[in-house]
Amino acid sequence: MASPPLNALSTLRASGTTIASDTAEYLQIAPFDPIDATTNPSLLYAAVSQPSYAHLVERAVEFAVGRSTADRAEVETGKERGRIDSVVELAVDRLIVEVGYQILQIIPGQVSISLDPRIAYDTNTMVRKGVQLASLMEELGVPTSRYLIKIPATHTGIQAAQILQSPPHNLRVNMTLIFGVVQAKACAEAGVSVVSPFVGRIMDWHLAQSDRTNPYPITSHPGVLTVRAISDIYRQKGYKTRIMAAGFRTLDEIFALSDLNIVMTLPPSLLTKLQNSPPRPSFPFATETDERTNGNSVSFTNGNGGGTFRANGTEHRGEPLTNGKNINAHHLNGSYASPSSPSPTFPKQSLLDPQTYHAALSAERIALEKVPEGLKKFSEDAERLEALVRESVIRRLGK
């Protein structure tokens, strides 16, 4: 007889959810036994700023300097700045890969390593950098099946992902900073491997559009309902792209998505909370057609005063979203009622067409604001990381 779940993390695993760790501090990962892992520029900077990981910076700089023709004279005279910049760039790339490599010594699955967010609107540069990271991974003996290149879900990012996933590169891509179904559907049309919608930040946007002072209840949570809608679209259309939900704030958000058979990437703080919490019901939300509901009727409906959620014969009334309508996760016959736009319709043309994509994105609205906001924060930390590495490079070359 199988042992009962010991805690909420065990419950989550038993639901079919794949656990990923969301940290660059790999020394914290092992106790949670995740399958996959993710990093980003902010997490990387936070990690290597600590003494426990500072040696990785020196190791990356040593690698980059060893391949450089720059010398002490160039540092002292300020000549050939471009050559110094190239050393810094290579050292940062090696640092990204080195952290990913260390994580892979702990997990059995895949790690997502991020491109520089400052190039999020330059397709050619993203492709070049993606190939560069892949080359550095290959030098460390890491096969392409063990990692994903993490790219911001701008339209140019989606184009870069298409190129990187196609011959001759044949890499796997995780599209990050997903805030709505338009981005998610465009990524799926492009055939990307993974999309990462940000649950908490989606709710942040809807709160900012409303006069609310408190978060939405879980039955009306815009981030939760958006991920559920993306899942329904993928299932209906037969897309192979996997969902890796990110940016969780609470255990309620996590368990509201635990029936979807998706990947969830969680920081050590939430993984610890899951370990220290008692077992929880696995499926507080579920779709009507999901066999795992065991016949329990579960559905979402819209209403001017808010949506209703029916589970196990009990009806719960949610609160209205910003436009007075809840997401209807089953209204997917070519259109989608999102919180930010009452009835945007997916065009017949492919969302990979730039004009079509931007028109649909304008109707949905949220990504137009949240993607630049997310890129700004990641870019600031990427600049801090670069400055830290540059100091180390100059010290090394100046000896």
Side-chain angles (χ1 to χ4, degrees):
M1 179 180 296
S3 300
L6 300 177
N7 52 40
L9 185 57
S10 301
T11 306
L12 189 60
R13 284 198 179 93
S15 74
T17 298
T18 299
I19 306 297
S21 62
D22 191 26
T23 182
E25 297 175 41
Y26 54 83
L27 297 176
Q28 297 187 25
I29 292 175
F32 307 112
D33 197 25
I35 299 297
D36 297 321
T38 55
T39 63
N40 63 47
S42 299
L43 295 174
L44 188 62
Y45 175 70
V48 301
S49 297
Q50 301 176 43
S52 298
Y53 303 93
H55 67 283
L56 297 178
V57 176
E58 300 308 317
R59 187 184 299 174
V61 168
E62 181 179 2
F63 171 86
V65 169
R67 295 200 172 183
S68 169
T69 58
D71 57 25
R72 178 175 178 174
E74 290 171 353
V75 174
E76 291 177 343
T77 63
K79 293 180 179 179
E80 299 291 346
R81 181 187 175 113
R83 292 167 72 180
I84 301 298
D85 289 345
S86 68
V87 177
V88 173
E89 180 181 355
L90 178 57
V92 170
D93 287 347
R94 177 70 178 202
L95 180 58
I96 292 168
V97 166
E98 181 68 34
V99 171
Y101 177 80
Q102 294 299 328
I103 291 172
L104 287 174
Q105 307 314 298
I106 301 166
I107 65 170
Q110 301 171 325
V111 64
S112 292
I113 55 175
S114 294
L115 292 187
D116 190 326
R118 295 170 292 179
I119 60 172
Y121 297 101
D122 186 334
T123 296
N124 291 334
T125 302
M126 281 187 279
V127 171
R128 178 180 66 82
K129 293 293 285 184
V131 171
Q132 165 81 344
L133 292 181
S135 176
L136 292 171
M137 276 293 205
E138 184 179 6
E139 288 186 36
L140 291 173
V142 180
T144 57
S145 60
R146 295 293 313 279
Y147 64 90
L148 297 101
I149 304 296
K150 199 172 181 183
I151 297 178
T154 57
H155 192 264
T156 47
I158 296 171
Q159 291 176 320
Q162 271 193 301
I163 296 170
L164 287 170
Q165 292 213 165
S166 300
H169 308 302
N170 298 315
L171 300 175
R172 295 167 58 82
V173 174
N174 177 354
M175 301 304 295
T176 188
L177 294 176
I178 299 284
F179 297 104
V181 295
V182 172
Q183 288 175 290
K185 189 171 186 295
C187 289
E189 287 183 17
V192 303
S193 299
V194 174
V195 295
S196 292
F198 281 52
V199 176
R201 296 193 202 183
I202 293 171
M203 184 177 71
D204 291 343
W205 187 84
H206 290 286
L207 284 173
Q209 307 303 306
S210 72
D211 56 2
R212 296 180 59 91
T213 58
N214 298 313
Y216 289 93
I218 201 65
T219 53
S220 299
H221 191 300
V224 168
L225 297 181
T226 297
V227 174
R228 299 193 70 83
I230 293 169
S231 177
D232 277 357
I233 291 171
Y234 284 9
R235 184 167 54 248
Q236 263 204 7
K237 300 292 185 181
Y239 293 134
K240 302 302 182 185
T241 300
R242 289 209 71 189
I243 298 171
M244 178 185 282
F248 290 95
R249 309 273 176 73
T250 69
L251 300 194
D252 284 345
E253 292 172 344
I254 292 170
F255 280 92
L257 296 172
S258 62
D259 63 307
L260 296 183
N261 193 32
I262 63 175
V263 184
M264 295 187 189
T265 184
L266 305 169
S269 58
L270 277 178
L271 290 168
T272 298
K273 188 176 289 187
L274 284 164
Q275 276 192 336
N276 295 335
S277 299
R280 294 184 55 149
S282 296
F283 311 124
F285 279 67
T287 59
E288 290 176 304
T289 57
D290 195 326
E291 294 178 357
R292 287 173 293 180
T293 61
N294 296 321
N296 294 323
S297 174
V298 183
S299 61
F300 297 96
T301 58
N302 283 333
N304 292 332
T308 60
F309 167 65
R310 176 172 292 277
N312 300 333
T314 303
E315 183 175 283
H316 308 271
R317 178 163 294 278
E319 298 185 28
L321 299 182
T322 55
N323 65 354
K325 292 188 178 182
N326 271 349
I327 296 175
N328 183 343
H330 300 294
H331 183 58
L332 299 170
N333 295 321
S335 65
Y336 167 68
S338 78
S340 53
S341 179
S343 56
T345 300
F346 286 132
K348 293 182 179 179
Q349 303 97 318
S350 169
L351 287 171
L352 299 180
D353 170 70
Q355 185 173 355
T356 303
Y357 176 79
H358 289 297
L361 211 63
S362 296
E364 195 177 44
R365 291 179 49 208
I366 182 171
L368 295 179
E369 297 176 25
K370 296 302 289 184
V371 170
E373 177 187 291
L375 287 173
K376 181 176 183 294
K377 168 59 176 168
F378 285 153
S379 295
E380 289 170 351
D381 287 328
E383 289 174 2
R384 293 186 182 101
L385 179 66
E386 184 179 281
L388 186 153
V389 170
R390 183 178 296 276
E391 290 178 5
S392 181
V393 167
I394 291 174
R395 284 197 306 269
R396 177 89 180 184
L397 290 175
K399 289 181 179 179

